[in-house]
Amino acid sequence: MELVGPDPNYEPIGADAVAIVGLFDWGLGEGRAPITLSYTALLTRQEGELRIRLEDESAAPQK
């Protein structure tokens, strides 16, 4: 997965946490157009390393 757009946004949430938000394109296979999904994650420091505590990928509703 590679986040697209201007760039992913990394927001420090205190000394031991970081929020990440952005968009990424998800391929659906050959001949099918990819869909753009939003990505949100909360990383927290555990035993000295940042680890994913919460993660979500969501698609926009189809029009």
Side-chain angles (χ1 to χ4, degrees):
M1 173 184 73
E2 181 176 332
L3 297 177
V4 297
D7 55 277
N9 191 4
Y10 296 85
E11 293 290 332
I13 311 293
D16 293 316
V18 176
I20 303 171
V21 295
L23 300 174
F24 68 98
D25 290 333
W26 184 263
L28 298 175
E30 191 171 325
R32 296 180 65 188
I35 58 173
T36 299
L37 301 170
S38 66
Y39 178 79
T40 306
L42 175 64
L43 284 62
T44 57
R45 191 173 314 280
Q46 299 175 18
E47 298 177 5
E49 295 184 15
L50 288 173
R51 300 193 183 261
I52 296 171
R53 173 77 172 119
L54 174 73
E55 185 176 45
D56 179 68
E57 299 91 13
S58 298
Q62 297 290 327
K63 294 183 179 183

